[in-house]
Amino acid sequence: FKDVSYKMRQLYIEQFKEHDLVNKMFDFITDQINVNDIEFWKNIPESEIRLYNPADSGFSPYKDDIIVECRMLLGHLLYELFNNVGSLTSTWFLNIRSRSHQQAIDNFVSEYISPILIKDELDEVEKKIEYMTSKDDDLAIKINRVTNEAKASYLIDEQKLEISFKLPSNYPLSNVQVIGVSRVGISEQKWKQWIMSTQHVITGMNGSVLDSLELFTKNVHLQFSGFEECAICYSILHVVDRKLPNKTCLTCKNKFHGACLYKWFRSSGNNTCPLCRTEIPFRR
């Protein structure tokens, strides 16, 4: 998952969902790990949850040692699942039938797993701030570790266009919130669509805060550099393949992403322009 494309990541996740594999794994781990044993988990260092490697541990014939090792392995697996299929986590969590079990999981994750994941996400953004801002003088990115928030702002005619990524204390049981703080220089409809697309990278495509932030900042930069957005999704870069709109209607001259246009063709049952209804040849 670490180095694969968005498309491949989506195919993996769809396969997991088709066989309900992720939910079964979450159910098994949270049933066996004993989330109520606070005394055990408060003595386990963060490094064991993050970096635990069963290949590094020697075999022990003592039952108590094996139980401890199994629980540490389960904690590490939960951390890895959250890292790699985080977009599926909140759906699984919200569908837990037992309210008491759900609350116990929430308490456990918020205390022992979420702080590690939140730090990972903010660290990842922080490492790229200098690189991203050096390419665009109008862009500023700030990290607030007290509120667990990353903010990106563009200075446009002495006013700020600003977006915020806020990580909840029980992340990823609850999703990252993408908040449009202030809008300037673009229409409200386009702004809302940008926020939705940026949120979708995290909640729908299993992307990180950095993935989502990079999509947003590139869209803003291209928008104010004179590039034309897709007339269907209002984004300049497509949320999945990151391509520019390269399909043009010969009648109304509006541009579309190929993926957006083909999705429109499938849903409408014909190959006409979604705006002027003129037929668009599939190969253009």
Side-chain angles (χ1 to χ4, degrees):
F1 265 63
K2 186 176 179 181
D3 299 313
V4 298
S5 66
Y6 280 113
K7 185 66 176 177
M8 185 61 72
R9 194 182 297 174
Q10 282 297 94
L11 290 172
Y12 280 138
I13 289 176
E14 286 303 317
Q15 190 175 43
F16 294 153
K17 288 167 67 176
E18 182 182 345
H19 299 285
D20 197 31
L21 296 174
V22 174
N23 287 343
K24 289 176 181 177
M25 192 66 172
F26 275 138
D27 287 342
F28 172 77
I29 291 176
T30 53
D31 179 61
Q32 296 294 317
I33 203 170
N34 193 355
V35 293
N36 293 307
D37 189 351
I38 305 301
E39 287 301 314
F40 174 84
W41 288 105
K42 73 179 184 182
N43 293 313
I44 301 299
E46 175 188 307
S47 59
E48 289 290 349
I49 295 175
R50 184 199 296 268
L51 302 173
Y52 180 84
N53 184 351
D56 293 339
S57 301
F59 173 76
S60 170
Y62 301 105
K63 180 181 177 183
D64 289 345
D65 291 346
I66 293 172
I67 290 172
V68 168
E69 185 167 336
C70 285
R71 292 179 67 187
M72 288 165 57
L73 172 59
L74 289 171
H76 174 69
L77 287 176
L78 192 61
Y79 166 77
E80 287 293 345
L81 271 175
F82 287 157
N83 256 330
N84 291 300
V85 293
S87 61
L88 304 182
T89 306
S90 60
T91 303
W92 161 77
F93 178 68
L94 291 172
N95 286 322
I96 295 174
R97 293 182 179 180
S98 168
R99 297 300 97 182
S100 60
H101 186 49
Q102 186 185 56
Q103 187 60 54
I105 292 170
D106 192 316
N107 294 340
F108 170 78
V109 172
S110 299
E111 183 70 25
Y112 303 108
I113 310 290
S114 295
I116 306 173
L117 295 167
I118 291 169
K119 183 178 182 299
D120 289 347
E121 290 280 358
L122 296 180
D123 284 350
E124 187 181 27
V125 173
E126 192 167 53
K127 288 175 186 176
K128 293 294 290 286
I129 288 178
E130 185 176 349
Y131 171 76
M132 293 172 70
T133 54
S134 66
K135 297 170 67 177
D136 194 334
D137 293 337
D138 295 321
L139 172 64
I141 299 172
K142 295 181 179 179
I143 301 292
N144 187 330
R145 294 185 184 271
V146 175
T147 59
N148 296 329
E149 203 169 3
K151 284 187 176 182
S153 61
Y154 265 90
L155 192 63
I156 301 165
D157 296 331
E158 299 184 0
Q159 295 184 15
K160 280 187 178 181
L161 181 149
E162 190 170 42
I163 191 172
S164 167
F165 300 81
K166 187 171 179 59
L167 290 94
S169 60
N170 66 347
Y171 172 76
L173 300 181
S174 295
N175 287 318
V176 175
Q177 289 181 288
V178 179
I179 304 164
V181 180
S182 60
R183 171 181 63 88
V184 60
I186 60 171
S187 68
E188 184 176 358
Q189 186 178 22
K190 186 184 296 185
W191 180 241
K192 287 180 178 178
Q193 189 64 44
W194 279 8
I195 300 298
M196 287 175 60
S197 298
T198 305
Q199 180 84 61
H200 181 68
V201 171
I202 299 171
T203 56
M205 299 174 59
N206 209 56
S208 66
V209 170
L210 179 62
D211 294 330
S212 187
L213 178 61
E214 285 182 326
L215 175 68
F216 175 80
T217 55
K218 286 176 181 176
N219 264 321
V220 175
H221 178 73
L222 291 170
Q223 170 72 30
F224 292 101
S225 298
F227 284 80
E228 190 175 344
E229 75 272 7
C230 170
I232 294 175
C233 73
Y234 296 104
S235 290
I236 297 172
L237 291 178
H238 189 263
V239 68
V240 178
D241 58 27
R242 303 298 174 96
K243 290 182 178 179
L244 293 167
N246 58 1
K247 305 294 180 184
T248 306
C249 174
L250 297 179
T251 303
C252 67
K253 307 302 181 186
N254 279 293
K255 289 190 174 182
F256 309 93
H257 294 122
C260 291
L261 198 57
Y262 296 146
K263 186 176 180 180
W264 161 256
F265 289 162
R266 290 195 300 271
S267 63
S268 65
N270 56 55
N271 62 329
T272 59
C273 171
L275 299 181
C276 71
R277 305 299 179 178
T278 302
E279 184 175 325
I280 299 178
F282 276 88
R283 293 185 180 179
R284 285 198 178 274

